[in-house]
Amino acid sequence: NGKEGEAKTLISEQRIKPPAPFDLTTLQTESYRFFGITPSRTLQIAQNLYLAGLISYPRTSSQKIPPAINPKSILQKLKSKYKEVSLATREKPVEGAKSDPAHPSIYPTGERASLAGQDEKMYDLIARRFISCFCEDAVVKNKKIDFKVNNLMFNARGLEIVKKGWMQVYKIRLAEKEIRDLNGKYKVEKSRIDEKMTQPPKRYTPASLISELAKRNLGTKATRASIIETLYNRGYIKEKSIEATQLGISLIKTLEKESPVIIDEALTRKFEKEMDSIQTSKTNLEAREKKIIKEAEAVIEKISDEFKKKEKKIGEELIKANNNMR
């Protein structure tokens, strides 16, 4: 305390583009983040909205809004419900990198219906995401203050939203923080030292686990939610902030020791990529499909034969683990 230091304020502006259109994974993660709706329930609601003709087919990995869907016409239909459509001045929508050969991104059709509860929340989320893709960038002002004292560097950060742009349509959690400019020499009158422990990584939620599966190319856009539901139903995981149960941990340990190929990510990923290649293949489709299925059958038969030789031992270990849970 009482020591002199020197401060310097750095200010920069940043343009933030609208988020990409919804594919199924991002819809599931966002609906969980905003409303706490589980991925499997999100898919169920989205399927109902699709069958009612209110949104496009939800089982998609695309983040594209193709001209063929006539998006400007959809925006016109949405005008009666969303006054924010007036902000949709971008000629071409913002899109993401991912595409799907079979379907575009998830978008509202513009048809009207009376909705309530989670159905209404989900539809509103999809409609606002779609509208925001046609809105102008947001502009934020980042402020950073560097303060040097005793050859030690300290800093503080502030943020101001200069232009909301698409953020007026699709709400995000971006907290403004005001800090005053500091430049030149100052005297430190008071200081405080906080001691903290290093924190472990956050536990997965059902939504963040869906995103992780997508990153690792495990499962498909349509099956990832049901995979997680199965893990809950069989008692391998528990709680919304996901914890592996003793049974789940024992299962993995047992399979790692007795039949590691069953939990081999690389093998699962290989099958997923080959199945995707069937969708995108334009020539020799039938021959390619037969070849991939034949290879998969051979691998699965080999795994099954090896597993049967050890299934009694594996079963005994899992029964023991299950009994220990009680």
Side-chain angles (χ1 to χ4, degrees), residues 95-217:
E95 296 181 312
K98 294 194 289 184
S99 60
D100 187 318
H103 306 284
S105 60
I106 301 171
Y107 62 88
T109 61
E111 300 302 318
R112 298 188 64 180
S114 178
L115 298 171
Q118 290 183 337
D119 289 0
E120 184 179 23
K121 288 179 179 179
M122 189 75 63
Y123 177 81
D124 186 65
L125 189 67
I126 292 167
R128 289 182 176 279
R129 184 82 163 210
F130 177 77
I131 297 168
S132 72
C133 293
F134 293 86
C135 295
E136 292 185 2
D137 295 352
V139 179
V140 299
K141 184 185 288 184
N142 295 302
K143 185 183 288 187
K144 180 186 175 187
I145 298 176
D146 290 331
F147 192 86
K148 189 175 182 181
V149 60
N150 283 355
N151 290 320
L152 296 174
M153 187 66 76
F154 302 88
N155 63 66
R157 295 179 183 273
L159 184 145
E160 177 189 354
I161 300 174
V162 179
K163 180 181 176 182
K164 288 189 175 181
W166 61 269
M167 291 182 186
Q168 296 176 79
V169 182
Y170 190 84
K171 310 300 182 186
I172 65 165
R173 295 171 185 169
L174 186 64
E176 293 186 89
K177 183 181 179 183
E178 184 179 351
I179 56 173
R180 68 185 183 90
D181 293 358
L182 290 175
N183 286 292
K185 293 183 182 291
Y186 294 88
K187 184 176 283 187
V188 179
E189 294 183 353
K190 192 177 186 181
S191 63
R192 185 183 76 236
I193 297 174
D194 289 338
E195 290 189 13
K196 295 181 179 180
M197 301 292 287
T198 303
Q199 297 297 307
K202 287 185 178 180
R203 293 184 182 275
Y204 285 116
T205 65
S208 63
L209 187 53
I210 285 273
S211 295
E212 186 65 24
L213 290 172
K215 285 178 189 174
R216 299 191 185 195
N217 200 27

Side-chain angles (χ1 to χ4, degrees), residues 4-18:
E4 284 194 349
E6 189 167 356
K8 184 178 181 181
T9 300
L10 303 170
I11 298 174
S12 63
E13 279 197 352
Q14 177 187 3
R15 299 185 72 86
I16 303 176
K17 283 187 174 184

Side-chain angles (χ1 to χ4, degrees), residues 25 28-29 32 37-41 43 204-214 218-243 245:
T25 299
Q28 288 170 320
T29 55
Y32 188 86
I37 302 174
T38 64
S40 58
R41 177 63 180 149
L43 179 54
Y204 285 116
T205 65
S208 63
L209 187 53
I210 285 273
S211 295
E212 186 65 24
L213 290 172
L218 297 173
T220 68
K221 51 188 174 285
T223 62
R224 290 177 187 125
S226 62
I227 288 170
I228 294 172
E229 286 294 305
T230 300
L231 294 176
Y232 276 115
N233 293 338
R234 293 183 181 175
Y236 299 146
I237 59 175
K238 62 180 182 180
E239 312 297 345
K240 287 185 178 179
S241 182
I242 296 175
E243 298 177 35
T245 63

